[in-house]
Amino acid sequence: MQKLQFEPSWDKTLSPKDRKRIEEIYFETSLSNPANVQLTPLWQAVNHKGELLVTVLVHNFSQQVLLFHNKKLRYIENKEIIAEYIFNLPSLVIQRETSMPWTFIFPVESLKNRATLEKGHLEFVD
């Protein structure tokens, strides 16, 4: 059965408001899903370095541990590719049947277009 898990540093620093929002989205999206992995958007921002921060709820519905080694992700808004980057995140390990929030940071050099930070989503690139 799917469970929601927070990375320890998130668990300590997450505001009650953000935790409630994540839990609500988790309950809406975790009930039944045919996909092995789903990335549900939470929020997006640009930091002081100009990097794009995309926070999603990563749902691992599969029976396998999900690792982020050489995983290419693309951020899209209105069918336009905004950023694309290959992530190597040894600390991001999502156990089977587990959902976890995570922020993916796209470096400035990975940005292809300007983000509006509205109605965007992440997808895996094969």
Side-chain angles (χ1 to χ4, degrees):
M1 184 169 167
Q2 197 73 13
K3 63 183 176 288
L4 178 60
Q5 179 179 333
F6 292 93
E7 193 270 335
S9 65
W10 278 63
D11 209 21
K12 292 176 189 169
T13 60
L14 198 59
S15 73
K17 178 184 169 189
D18 287 343
R19 182 180 298 272
K20 183 176 185 211
R21 182 172 176 203
I22 290 168
E23 288 171 350
E24 287 171 353
I25 291 171
Y26 164 76
F27 286 116
E28 289 172 11
T29 56
S30 68
L31 298 177
S32 63
N33 193 299
N36 282 331
V37 177
Q38 179 181 328
L39 303 170
T40 303
L42 294 171
W43 51 80
Q44 306 87 31
V46 174
N47 67 14
H48 67 283
K49 297 179 191 175
E51 298 167 321
L52 176 64
L53 286 64
V54 180
T55 304
V56 297
L57 191 53
V58 181
H59 299 283
N60 181 8
F61 294 108
S62 78
Q63 296 299 312
Q64 311 297 322
V65 172
L66 177 61
L67 304 172
F68 280 80
H69 298 294
N70 294 316
K71 294 272 189 196
K72 191 174 196 180
L73 293 175
R74 166 184 297 159
Y75 176 69
I76 298 173
E77 291 178 347
N78 299 314
K79 299 181 183 174
E80 182 178 24
I81 298 170
I82 304 300
E84 200 170 81
Y85 190 68
I86 297 172
F87 289 90
N88 286 298
L89 303 168
S91 61
L92 180 53
V93 177
I94 302 179
Q95 298 300 319
R96 63 186 190 90
E97 297 182 330
T98 300
S99 298
M100 180 186 292
W102 193 264
T103 300
F104 292 93
I105 301 172
F106 289 84
V108 173
E109 60 272 13
S110 71
L111 303 178
K112 299 177 181 299
N113 291 295
R114 186 173 199 150
T116 64
L117 306 178
E118 296 178 11
K119 299 181 183 173
H121 69 276
L122 277 185
E123 65 182 29
F124 289 99
V125 180
D126 295 328

